[in-house]
Amino acid sequence: MINKQVDNEESTITKKVNGHEFIPKEISPGNFSEYDIKLNMGNDGKFQLESTVVVKNLSTDDWGQLTFYFIPNMFTKSVSPELEYPSTVDFHNISIDGKKAEYTLEEDTLNIQLMEKLKPNQEIKVYFSYELTLPEEGLRFTKSNVDNYHLAQFYPMLATYRNHQWNKEKYLFRGETYHNTYSNFKLTYDIPKEYTLVSSFDQEVYPSPNKGLLEVENVKEIFLAILKDPILVEKNGGTSIRVFGFEKHKEELYREIADEATTAFNYFDEIIGPYPFKQLDIIIDGLGMEYPGIVTAHTIYNSDPVNSEALKSMVVHEIAHQWFYGMIHNDPFYNAWLDEGFAVFATDLFSFKKLNLSKPYTKYSIDPNMVLPVNLPLDQYESKMSSYIYGKAPTMLWELFNKNEGLKEIEQFLKSYYQFYKYKEIDSTEFMRFAKYYFDLKDDSIFEGWLEIEKTQNE
């Protein structure tokens, strides 16, 4: 249990933190990239794409190859033969600075050989031309609800580079096993007139024109939803909250979701820190998932749609990810607890606030059989990954606070965390360093049993 002196307004430790005596240490991504994507959707559901990526080497090494994720390949017949309607992928051309490049594509790993070493602080331009179709019953990248297209991870995504190698892990169908850093994006699109585009870009109107140019900066990825005949419920304020549904008899539920989303959004925006976009889109279709500026919510893995109350809670959880993933990020293969655990923690905090509780009276308990730390690589959890990442992790975050502390002190912790780490990558080691400073801890004993001390993933 942690005890610290608290005055009428805030703790002396909080004052020290807000005095900026603490210097955060972020993890270098090893690179910077800018994407220029051209997308054309045919009436037959086929997509023609061109993607130009400017890649800059921010590491201290010379590079002989580039490594990209190309996740659509995971849903092709050769990789996922169990799918009745798999995706198709066909690369027409991959070139570097105008010269055809040699490459290999195995599962979701796209390696491109460089003809000349890319030295530190140098940049090159990589061009991709390809076409694809979306699978049915894919994961995130999928055709959904008969006529909706969810384009998640639909473009070659540059991996991070650290410890003198490309940081690329094997794809898993549970959890997020891809990791990239903040980039700038430009999208030129052309879609059939009966569809509307909803995406990570915040310059959209509804219904969208069928052709357009959109731009966004400083996001980890982009997500596109190409929708047919959605029902829109919109709440206009400082930030526009847009809910897109597809069942006319559920319009009242969509209004309730919009109300709940607006209340949660305003709470997070106030107590954590400013949201960076002019709108936030919520699509009531597909898995509960987060992307910059847009979330989906309807089902969980291998299940039917959740009930209305669970759906509202799911939406709040995904909105919390706009801060914990969107603005403070981590490698979700090695440190999934830092975004999922914090998103659950913030969602619970919002629930306490709604109940007008000044202190979190809910009792949290951990199964004594859950002896593993919460910051292991995802492939070490087997079937109990969710219990650790979504259960034990937020519970142990609550344990950081004295039972006598109220919500205001906990809110101040999140605000300070955001102020130090916005637009930075963090790992468990850095979180521990921050928590030790914030709570004035003398040793690591508070983390024993739930955080494994790791070597920071940095050069």
Side-chain angles (χ1 to χ4, degrees), residues 369-387:
N369 295 317
M370 292 179 62
V371 297
L372 296 177
V374 302
N375 62 329
L376 296 179
L378 291 183
D379 59 358
Q380 295 187 30
Y381 287 111
E382 298 180 347
S383 62
K384 292 188 175 181
M385 180 188 76
S386 294
S387 298

Side-chain angles (χ1 to χ4, degrees), residues 39-47 134 142-151 189-198 205-212 224-230 244 246 285:
L39 176 147
N40 185 291
M41 175 185 172
N43 291 316
D44 56 359
K46 290 184 178 180
F47 291 85
L134 274 64
T142 189
K143 187 177 179 183
S144 179
N145 200 23
V146 182
D147 285 316
N148 295 333
Y149 294 82
H150 289 198
L151 282 88
Y189 71 91
D190 186 344
I191 61 176
K193 292 182 178 179
E194 63 269 26
Y195 286 92
T196 194
L197 177 71
V198 183
V205 296
Y206 177 78
S208 73
N210 71 306
K211 297 181 181 181
L224 313 181
I226 300 175
L227 309 177
K228 193 171 186 179
D229 299 324
F244 294 87
F246 302 91
D285 185 23

